[in-house]
Amino acid sequence: MKERKVMLAVAALLLVISSRAHAGAISADSPADFPVEFTDCVESIGVTLVSTERARAYVPAEFILAGEGQPVTPLVVRTARCRGIAVNGYMPKAGEIVQVGLVIVPPDFTGDINNYTLWYYTSDAKLATQLRDVGVAAQHVPTIDYDFDAGDNSLFVRVPRPGSPRLALFGRVSPSPNPAGAFLANWWQQADAGRVKMSTQVPTINIGGANLTLMTDPGNPLGQLIGGGSTGFPIIQQFNTFTTAHMGVSVVVP
């Protein structure tokens, strides 16, 4: 019980702390770098705890897990649907994104949260292709189900084949009409050319509540990581809305 309370405190701190200082010049410009603009988005965020020993097997040694040295560490599941996703200056298209990752210590001391990307799914073919071009194992899943019913505030998200591992997320949400300031989220993945950083700046975000459940096959890699076929999100559950966001994708060379 004591260890769980410690981890809850650590996870909450990592999710709200914002360190803006740079740790020297560690990034290099690359012709593969590209921007992505998001407009009119809804987003769910869920954070649970998983075995640090199991999580360690999914993350390269140079990334430090938030729960390093502790029995459990935070896992993040994010879903988003945007009316506009504009990749590298192309015309915007409506689309969905689902991301699963592990909270890590900020590699470059930036961001309100930093996560190592385990699985990235999107219905946007251009986004999936450009991410793969810089080394992210992005999956193009054109038939992601994303159903948010504003009438009863229900949310249902499903990643079917060809997504792997497949998953579904569902529950009730509580949108907030009140803006809560800016937020910067960094998602990382190791690639052959270096560390790929997907850094999303949201100028103004409305942070609401949620009561969500994640379901997957207990035998697939995600099920093995969470220790079964389903999990709730005891650390953080949010349903957010934002009008615009900018993601810069870059290859970071130590």
Side-chain angles (χ1 to χ4, degrees):
M1 179 65 68
K2 182 178 179 181
E3 289 178 338
R4 179 172 176 80
K5 288 181 178 178
V6 170
M7 279 309 304
L8 290 176
V10 170
L13 179 62
L14 285 167
L15 288 165
V16 299
I17 192 166
S18 176
S19 176
R20 302 300 184 184
H22 291 274
I26 67 170
S27 63
D29 291 335
S30 163
D33 297 353
F34 65 93
V36 184
E37 308 298 334
F38 301 101
T39 54
D40 296 330
C41 302
V42 297
E43 169 191 69
S44 74
I45 300 287
V47 181
T48 188
L49 295 173
V50 299
S51 162
T52 303
E53 182 179 3
R54 288 196 295 261
R56 186 69 265 176
Y58 289 83
V59 179
E62 55 267 33
F63 294 91
I64 302 172
L65 292 169
E68 203 76 58
Q70 301 294 324
V72 290
T73 195
L75 176 84
V76 180
V77 179
R78 174 186 183 255
T79 78
R81 183 187 68 194
C82 299
R83 291 183 181 177
I85 302 176
V87 183
N88 206 16
Y90 282 76
M91 290 292 293
K93 295 182 178 179
E96 296 79 32
I97 296 169
V98 176
Q99 298 166 255
V100 181
L102 291 157
V103 182
I104 57 173
V105 175
D108 61 357
F109 301 95
T110 67
D112 295 298
I113 187 170
N114 283 257
N115 307 310
Y116 187 83
T117 306
L118 301 179
W119 296 285
Y120 190 107
Y121 318 86
T122 178
S123 63
D124 189 294
K126 182 67 176 174
L127 178 57
T129 297
Q130 294 237 196
L131 286 174
R132 287 196 296 263
D133 285 347
V134 297
V136 176
Q139 302 181 46
H140 178 218
V141 185
T143 55
I144 292 176
D145 291 332
Y146 205 109
D147 183 13
F148 164 55
D149 188 334
D152 62 4
N153 285 333
S154 62
L155 178 69
F156 176 80
V157 182
R158 184 175 69 96
V159 178
R161 291 190 177 94
S164 179
R166 289 176 288 161
L167 61 90
L169 181 140
F170 58 90
R172 299 285 177 176
V173 299
S174 303
S176 171
N178 302 315
F183 195 85
L184 177 62
N186 298 327
W187 288 71
W188 302 77
Q189 193 169 86
Q190 185 65 43
D192 291 340
R195 298 175 177 179
V196 180
K197 178 182 180 181
M198 296 169 280
S199 184
T200 302
Q201 176 71 58
V202 184
T204 304
I205 187 169
N206 293 35
I207 299 177
N211 184 10
L212 302 170
T213 299
L214 173 72
M215 294 192 67
T216 192
D217 185 331
N220 70 28
L222 177 57
Q224 292 172 12
L225 183 58
I226 65 175
S230 66
T231 183
F233 298 99
I235 308 303
I236 285 180
Q237 301 188 80
Q238 295 178 352
F239 182 75
N240 308 327
T241 59
F242 51 91
T243 303
T244 62
H246 169 84
M247 180 170 76
V249 179
S250 58
V251 178
V252 179
V253 180

